[in-house]
Amino acid sequence: MPNLPLGIPSNLDKYFFNRKKELAQLNIFLSGFKDDIANQLLVTGRRGVGKSFLLMKLKRELPDNVLSAYLDLSKIHGIQKGKLTEEKVMHSLFEAMLNSLKDKSTLMKIYNLKDSLLKKISPKTYDFKGAGNLLGIPLPQVDTDYEKLSSLVMEFPQNVVDNNRQSIDGFVIILDEFQLIGEFENPEAFFWLIRSFTQDQDNVTYIFTGSTSAASEIVDQINGAQGAFGGRMIQFPVEPFSEEDTYDYLKEMIPEIKFTPEGLKRFYKCTGGYPSYINSFCNTMSGGRPYDNQMVIEAFYSKLDQIAIMWVTIWSSLSDYEKEIIIILVENGALNWSELLSQVDYSNKTLLKYANRLKNKGILSHIDRKYTIDDMMLRSWLKYRQENDGYYPP
Ligand SMILES: Nc1ncnc2c1ncn2[C@@H]1O[C@H](COP(=O)(O)OP(=O)(O)OP(=O)(O)O)[C@@H](O)[C@H]1O
Ligand SMILES: [Mg+2]
């Protein structure tokens, strides 16, 4: 049986397939650093489409004169308990930025200060004395610790570039799972803060990415007409593999598994070209007789828990309200707001809160005034469990 990665493999190059066009396009957006031009990017796309893997590959292949930091907000301590705060994000961001200096011999001097710098901004003590001096950053006279912390962190990347122009032209900062910022008390304020710094920084690019639909509230807050970046961010959608890409991928990664032409077509239909589903489906298959249409369908339904493993995990992290909204929409198809509201026994306000959460997580879509769950794997899995167990997964 194949053993394709279900997360991001540590050996990126071994498993990374194609995406040449996307990488070339993204690199164009990052090519202006030498001339002091920095773009801000928003990379969107459904769950499992390959955003994180693509950006890690991009990061890895950046030229030597560009520094880069990667921060996955879902990995910040406390996030699972819904305790993500602005301070924690700033702290982790600073740590990620400092870590990125490690590989550059000319920046070792700053990197070696890492521990003492991090201690100075430790949320418990907030002892900033000297932190700015160490970095050559004048700290502004501001009132709150959070303002001090955020300006220290936000000024840092441009300062590193300015002080090392002979070897460094730009700094790329990737913020993954950025939709979690929607859980802050005031997400807009956070986006405005970043905007206010980046507008004077000509050599720093932020790439926001996460599983959220291009039409979600959080995308509006960051880049909508009234949002912090007011449409100035370049929005870059990542699409699933094409049919042809999927076939080439299978040929290259799992040559031992054979398909008839109809079997291949069915496989593409079942996975939608999402690399996450392609991988998890492949891992349930075995060599021998070529998979035809019927065999693919049978394999799909008999291994659905394994194929939809991503949703099994996400499902267990959702609140009862969120689960209920999903189930209503899976059973009823697309509903408008009043239809949806009539199906629940809580208030408009509560429904709004959880519907927005689901939108930010990229699970709920809102198109033409109708709400739907458009991930077919999530729908198939729920229906299948209901039919087999007699109830939806708890
Ligand atoms: N270009 C690729 N080549 C090979 N495998 C890929 C590629 N892109 C993604 N994958 C595989 O698909 C899975 C999902 O990829 P990834 O985690 O990057 O998706 P994502 O869009 O970031 O999802 P999420 O929104 O859940 O974070 C991973 O197991 C990864 O190994
Ligand atoms: Mg990801």
Side-chain angles (χ1 to χ4, degrees):
M1 258 188 222
N3 191 13
L4 295 173
L6 298 180
I8 311 270
S10 49
N11 186 345
L12 293 190
D13 296 329
K14 180 169 172 202
Y15 293 102
F16 192 81
F17 181 77
N18 196 345
R19 296 290 197 199
K20 292 199 170 70
K21 254 197 198 138
E22 287 86 343
L23 287 169
Q25 280 168 326
L26 288 168
N27 274 309
I28 290 174
F29 299 138
L30 303 179
S31 60
F33 288 138
K34 251 198 170 30
D35 303 317
D36 298 332
I37 298 169
N39 291 303
Q40 307 306 324
L41 308 183
L42 179 55
V43 175
T44 56
R46 300 258 197 86
R47 275 203 184 271
V49 78
K51 301 173 295 291
S52 301
F53 204 178
L54 175 66
L55 292 172
M56 283 185 188
K57 180 79 173 166
L58 175 84
K59 177 180 187 311
R60 202 181 143 83
E61 293 182 349
L62 285 171
D64 275 351
N65 62 334
V66 178
L67 291 167
S68 58
Y70 176 92
L71 178 62
D72 179 345
L73 297 186
S74 72
K75 303 266 162 71
I76 296 178
H77 184 68
I79 177 70
Q80 301 303 351
K81 298 186 193 97
K83 287 193 196 128
L84 186 67
T85 60
E86 285 88 336
E87 273 98 335
K88 275 187 190 158
V89 171
M90 282 297 165
H91 198 269
S92 303
L93 194 53
F94 196 39
E95 186 167 3
M97 288 173 181
L98 286 166
N99 276 333
S100 72
L101 311 179
K102 188 166 56 192
D103 308 323
K104 299 270 186 288
S105 55
T106 47
L107 300 173
M108 248 353 222
K109 232 168 64 196
I110 312 181
Y111 177 71
N112 288 335
L113 297 171
K114 185 183 138 192
D115 290 340
S116 68
L117 283 169
L118 285 176
K119 219 180 194 159
K120 283 189 193 302
I121 65 157
S122 128
K124 275 193 228 89
T125 59
Y126 274 125
D127 175 10
F128 287 96
K129 277 191 245 58
N133 293 346
L134 281 175
L135 294 167
I137 300 172
L139 283 183
Q141 294 298 313
V142 287
D143 295 334
T144 68
D145 281 340
Y146 174 62
E147 281 176 87
K148 279 186 216 162
L149 172 67
S150 54
S151 59
L152 176 73
V153 177
M154 296 302 300
E155 300 280 15
F156 181 71
Q158 183 66 44
N159 269 287
V160 171
V161 178
D162 289 344
N163 295 332
N164 296 278
R165 251 349 253 271
Q166 67 289 2
S167 57
I168 305 294
D169 290 317
F171 208 134
V172 175
I173 295 142
I174 302 166
L175 285 179
D176 203 347
E177 301 288 354
F178 92 100
Q179 77 279 0
L180 291 168
I181 291 170
E183 308 296 307
F184 286 178
E185 241 157 60
N186 191 348
E188 277 113 328
F190 188 78
F191 293 139
W192 279 99
L193 175 100
I194 296 194
R195 168 80 215 284
S196 70
F197 284 98
T198 53
Q199 66 182 353
D200 302 321
Q201 300 185 343
D202 298 329
N203 306 81
V204 182
T205 283
Y206 283 84
I207 304 181
F208 288 84
T209 186
S211 343
T212 187
S213 55
S216 64
E217 188 189 31
I218 191 107
V219 167
D220 246 19
Q221 285 170 343
I222 192 169
N223 202 33
Q226 312 297 322
F229 286 83
R232 288 174 195 82
M233 270 186 153
I234 298 172
Q235 237 158 290
F236 186 87
V238 180
E239 305 293 344
F241 286 172
S242 67
E243 212 167 319
E244 213 180 319
D245 266 346
T246 305
Y247 301 162
D248 290 344
Y249 179 76
L250 295 176
K251 243 189 271 161
E252 186 174 318
M253 297 291 181
I254 50 158
E256 70 277 20
I257 296 183
K258 308 277 185 243
F259 293 88
T260 66
E262 295 71 36
L264 261 184
K265 273 210 162 356
R266 178 60 60 186
F267 181 89
Y268 186 70
K269 273 215 174 96
C270 288
T271 57
Y274 284 80
S276 55
Y277 302 145
I278 295 175
N279 283 0
S280 56
F281 198 168
C282 283
N283 287 350
T284 69
M285 298 183 132
S286 43
R289 212 174 90 188
Y291 280 83
D292 61 19
N293 185 44
Q294 199 51 36
M295 283 164 73
V296 173
I297 294 175
E298 273 161 26
F300 180 73
Y301 283 110
S302 67
K303 299 282 165 51
L304 202 44
D305 274 323
Q306 262 167 280
I307 300 169
I309 183 74
M310 185 178 94
W311 287 109
V312 179
T313 317
I314 296 170
W315 187 256
S316 64
S317 73
L318 298 175
S319 67
D320 288 344
Y321 289 109
E322 290 166 306
K323 288 177 187 164
E324 189 183 347
I325 296 169
I326 293 172
I327 289 169
I328 291 170
L329 291 170
V330 165
E331 288 189 342
N332 295 280
L335 294 180
N336 66 29
W337 184 256
S338 53
E339 290 164 339
L340 181 58
L341 187 62
S342 72
Q343 299 264 345
V344 298
D345 48 15
Y346 37 85
S347 70
N348 197 52
K349 199 172 153 214
T350 309
L351 181 61
L352 191 64
K353 174 175 162 188
Y354 290 101
N356 271 335
R357 252 188 211 183
L358 287 172
K359 263 205 257 175
N360 287 341
K361 290 177 187 174
I363 297 174
L364 181 66
S365 324
H366 186 204
I367 300 162
D368 295 337
R369 301 180 169 218
K370 296 263 188 187
Y371 290 84
T372 50
I373 301 299
D374 49 18
D375 191 289
M376 50 91 198
M377 192 65 76
L378 174 59
R379 282 201 315 259
S380 303
W381 175 65
L382 286 173
K383 281 191 174 152
Y384 182 77
R385 287 264 60 101
Q386 210 283 335
E387 276 159 25
N388 274 269
D389 305 337
Y391 50 86
Y392 289 102

